[in-house]
Amino acid sequence: MAVAISNSDVTNINGRIRQIVDREDTAYFSNAQLLMYTEMATDEFLQQYYTIFEASQDARDKLEGLVRSAVIQVGPPFTFATSGLATPYYRLLSARLTNSPNTNVKIIQFADYSAYTNDPFNKADADNPVIYEEGGNLKVLGLTTTTEIDITYLGYTTTWTDLNQHCYEEIAQIAARKILQTLGDPRYQFMQAELLERNTVLGGGSPKRSK
């Protein structure tokens, strides 16, 4: 019978991980060691579901507990340090001008920077501003005066109890898979195959290789 993981009971999640990996010849892992594996599992969980956040309702449900909102003020040189946010920052989800809520601030990748500064057909302006992340900063193109922007972002954590309770079993499964990989246990391949199948169904493609 599977060990139930309720609330933030560390004993229960550790017991569940041990139950998954338990075998006569499997090494015993201390609570401190299991904590490291749950931290790695939580990090992988965030990476896995962020990549399909926009496309999958399941991913949005799993990460909803980490979605944060904030109002940031940017002025020349139109840069905001993500370290100034109330909670650790992971990824930007949306942005819009506070005083003009119908004006979205388009999120771009740093690789697209030149297109929005040099291309006359795409150049950012006050009516079509863009925002991107570089070196721990959110940088805005197109604005000419100090402006407030409403942002929605995904917070970062490696603490599994920061997630919603319905995610706890999956964290235990990921942690157990990482342990089996460390041990060179053949069961790792079976668990990896199951993960690939689930991610394909959700639209996330191949999972990242466990570290």
Side-chain angles (χ1 to χ4, degrees):
M1 180 178 177
V3 175
I5 306 171
S6 57
N7 301 319
S8 57
D9 193 331
V10 175
T11 303
N12 280 352
I13 196 168
N14 287 351
R16 178 61 179 139
I17 295 169
R18 290 190 178 105
Q19 184 183 54
I20 297 169
V21 303
D22 184 46
R23 203 169 68 176
E24 226 174 80
D25 58 347
T26 301
Y28 180 83
F29 285 79
S30 68
N31 287 344
Q33 290 172 312
L34 291 182
L35 173 61
M36 291 190 294
Y37 280 100
T38 57
E39 288 175 343
M40 289 189 290
T42 304
D43 177 78
E44 180 177 314
F45 182 90
L46 261 64
Q47 292 183 53
Q48 175 182 326
Y49 287 108
Y50 170 72
T51 59
I52 56 173
F53 188 87
E54 294 297 330
S56 168
Q57 183 62 50
D58 182 64
R60 292 192 290 275
D61 290 344
K62 289 179 185 295
L63 297 180
E64 64 178 354
L66 295 177
V67 175
R68 305 283 187 263
S69 296
V71 176
I72 64 173
Q73 186 178 78
V74 292
F78 301 102
T79 296
F80 181 87
T82 56
S83 59
L85 294 169
T87 56
Y89 171 89
Y90 184 53
R91 292 288 189 273
L92 188 62
L93 299 175
S94 67
R96 63 179 63 241
L97 300 185
T98 302
N99 295 331
S100 181
N102 291 325
T103 303
N104 288 320
V105 183
K106 185 177 181 179
I107 301 171
I108 65 170
Q109 301 300 312
F110 177 66
D112 299 323
Y113 172 84
S114 61
Y116 288 91
T117 54
N118 300 321
D119 186 341
F121 297 103
N122 289 310
K123 192 170 183 178
D125 56 35
D127 294 321
N128 299 283
V130 300
I131 188 170
Y132 65 96
E133 182 184 354
E134 182 191 15
N137 294 302
L138 295 177
K139 298 187 175 183
V140 184
L141 301 176
L143 299 179
T144 56
T145 59
T146 299
T147 305
E148 288 189 339
I149 300 176
D150 292 316
I151 66 168
T152 302
Y153 66 98
L154 193 64
Y156 180 76
T157 186
T158 56
T159 304
W160 60 274
T161 53
D162 288 341
L163 301 170
N164 291 336
Q165 187 174 338
H166 61 79
C167 302
Y168 294 172
E169 172 63 23
E170 190 165 351
I171 295 298
Q173 293 283 343
I174 296 172
R177 175 167 49 82
K178 287 180 173 294
I179 290 172
L180 294 176
Q181 182 189 27
T182 300
L183 297 173
D185 192 301
R187 289 175 292 171
Y188 165 75
Q189 297 298 339
F190 291 107
M191 294 184 74
Q192 191 75 350
E194 289 179 355
L195 177 64
L196 174 59
E197 183 178 354
R198 182 173 72 247
N199 281 359
T200 300
V201 171
L202 292 175
S206 302
K208 293 181 180 292
R209 185 177 179 81
S210 297
K211 299 178 181 178

